[in-house]
Amino acid sequence: NAGVTQTPKFQVLKTGQSMTLQCAQDMNHNSMYWYRQDPGMGLRLIYYSASEGTTDKGEVPNGYNVSRLNKREFSLRLESAAPSQTSVYFCASSVTGGVQPQHFGDGTRLSIL
Amino acid sequence: SQQGEEDPQALSIQEGENATMNCSYKTSINNLQWYRQNSGRGLVHLILIRSNEREKHSGRLRVTLDTSKKSSSLLITASRAADTASYFCATDDSSASKIIFGSGTRLSIRP
């Protein structure tokens, strides 16, 4: 059982480049989330999708866009990468939104030079 | 924004000892969750305690919740090397539509 799969695992970009982080879950979960984790700051929510066809901003959405492609897949796009977006990005899913336990992927480590 | 704050930020104990981590939050919650994160991995859900519960057990884990003090504690008994990880509490936000993570406690178990 794969759970939540994120690709790529590592990426180095130059300032101004764009890229899309991919996330897929095979647990038939309705809700999906994108977080970033910076040293000493815990996880901060970027965007979430409570159900297929809906997306909402989280705490730190600026500089990012998302697409809930279908029930399984939720992608995060950086249109013009900035050094401040250097971070570890985690995708998560849960059965429903709100207070349900979340299942996490192993992250994408992104460096912006 | 509402957030759980863990204390201490870092904890180092001898294998076999008990480890206690605390989480404080600011406003009323519906439930509180604890997660573990091993180095280089994603978070793993450990336990969820609802606001009407005071204590919950799962194996060597014991979680307490004191809503009057807006605090929770996670106790790991008889620690093992494999317990070395960061531990995060998470509380639901005011709309109960999503959860907010604290900054975590880094636990190191010395052999």
Side-chain angles (χ1 to χ4, degrees), chain A residues 47-60:
Chain A
Y47 271 94
Y48 67 104
S49 171
S51 61
E52 185 178 357
T54 69
T55 60
D56 287 285
K57 295 179 180 179
E59 183 183 354
V60 289

Side-chain angles (χ1 to χ4, degrees), chain A residues 24-105:
Chain A
Q25 52 91 10
D26 62 2
M27 296 172 284
N28 200 35
H29 286 173
N30 289 299
S31 301
M32 298 185 74
Y33 312 83
W34 276 106
Y35 295 90
R36 60 179 288 173
Q37 185 176 33
D38 302 297
M41 296 190 72
L43 276 76
R44 292 183 291 169
L45 183 64
I46 304 171
Y47 271 94
Y48 67 104
S49 171
S51 61
E52 185 178 357
T54 69
T55 60
D56 287 285
K57 295 179 180 179
E59 183 183 354
V60 289
N62 291 345
Y64 305 95
N65 286 301
V66 290
S67 295
R68 184 73 184 266
L69 304 171
N70 47 55
K71 191 172 185 178
R72 292 185 64 249
E73 298 172 290
F74 189 37
S75 63
L76 178 71
R77 183 162 178 83
L78 287 72
E79 291 290 352
S80 179
S84 61
Q85 294 177 306
T86 293
S87 189
V88 182
Y89 291 85
F90 288 98
C91 177
S93 69
S94 60
V95 174
T96 61
V99 299
Q100 294 294 315
Q102 295 183 10
H103 299 255
F104 283 78

Side-chain angles (χ1 to χ4, degrees), chain A residues 37 45 98-99 102 105-106 109, chain B residues 31 33 35 37 40-41 96-97:
Chain A
Q37 185 176 33
L45 183 64
V99 299
Q102 295 183 10
D106 280 336
R109 284 143 188 83
Chain B
N31 68 46
Q33 302 178 45
Y35 288 79
Q37 183 181 32
R41 303 299 299 273
S97 63

Side-chain angles (χ1 to χ4, degrees), chain B residues 5-6 11 23 38 40 45 50-51 56-57 60 62 67 69-70 74 78 93-94 96-97 100-101:
Chain B
E5 290 293 337
E6 290 89 345
L11 179 62
C23 171
N38 292 96
H45 179 260
R50 303 190 187 283
S51 59
K56 205 162 182 180
H57 296 255
R60 293 184 295 112
R62 182 173 78 103
T67 53
K69 295 181 179 179
K70 293 186 171 57
L74 170 66
D93 73 340
S94 57
S97 63
I100 301 174
F101 289 86

